[in-house]
Amino acid sequence: MTHPAKGQHGLTLIEVLVALVMTGLVVGVAFHLFGGAIKGHARAEHLTMALMVAESRLAEIGVTSKLEPGTQSGRTKNGYRWKTEIRPLNGKPAIGTTPVRAFQVLVSVTGERGDDRAVTLETVRLRPRTRDE
């Protein structure tokens, strides 16, 4: 076995292999973290879009669609599915009758696959009573 000349230093095969393995581990962990960040961003973007659809549908109730008991559903142009449920709140007023009628309004929105996390908004809306109510 020959020894390196004075002042010459080199790496052994074992040291090179250890350095390659460590570099591979660091690169692998970095790719894993980067992939998780991309998935998290996509999930947040989906929830943001679903929330915007739900808020839009909720804003339309009583303006472009009637505030009446029932269920409606549909799909947006970009594939989000929505469902609106309107239920009467049957509470008895403390004194006499009230001039308004209360409804519970629920809007749920999911992605195009339907297995995505749903966004659900719920509120109470009032409208004047009709003569036959």
Side-chain angles (χ1 to χ4, degrees):
M1 186 160 150
T2 59
H3 296 285
K6 196 173 189 181
Q8 291 182 342
H9 298 287
L11 297 174
T12 65
L13 182 58
I14 299 275
E15 290 171 327
V16 170
L17 288 175
V18 167
L20 285 173
V21 167
M22 289 176 68
T23 302
L25 288 173
V26 169
V27 169
V29 167
F31 277 128
H32 180 72
L33 292 174
F34 185 67
I38 289 174
K39 286 179 185 176
H41 176 72
R43 193 171 330 139
E45 189 174 314
H46 158 74
L47 289 174
T48 300
M49 284 299 297
L51 181 60
M52 287 172 48
V53 170
E55 287 175 338
S56 176
R57 297 299 310 166
L58 197 59
E60 290 178 5
I61 296 170
V63 178
T64 60
S65 63
K66 288 186 177 183
L67 185 58
E68 294 291 334
T71 302
Q72 293 180 338
S73 61
R75 182 179 287 219
T76 64
K77 291 179 183 177
N78 55 354
Y80 285 86
R81 295 178 187 183
W82 57 268
K83 179 180 178 184
T84 302
E85 294 180 62
I86 301 174
R87 304 175 190 146
L89 286 178
N90 295 327
K92 292 188 178 182
I95 301 172
T97 60
T98 60
V100 294
R101 190 161 175 210
F103 295 91
Q104 177 187 29
V105 181
L106 292 114
V107 178
S108 295
V109 178
T110 59
E112 59 187 19
R113 295 186 311 246
D115 60 346
D116 295 318
R117 207 168 171 186
V119 171
T120 302
L121 298 180
E122 179 179 352
T123 190
V124 173
R125 292 279 171 90
L126 303 175
R127 72 159 169 77
R129 286 190 181 273
T130 60
R131 292 180 191 217
D132 58 341
E133 293 181 314

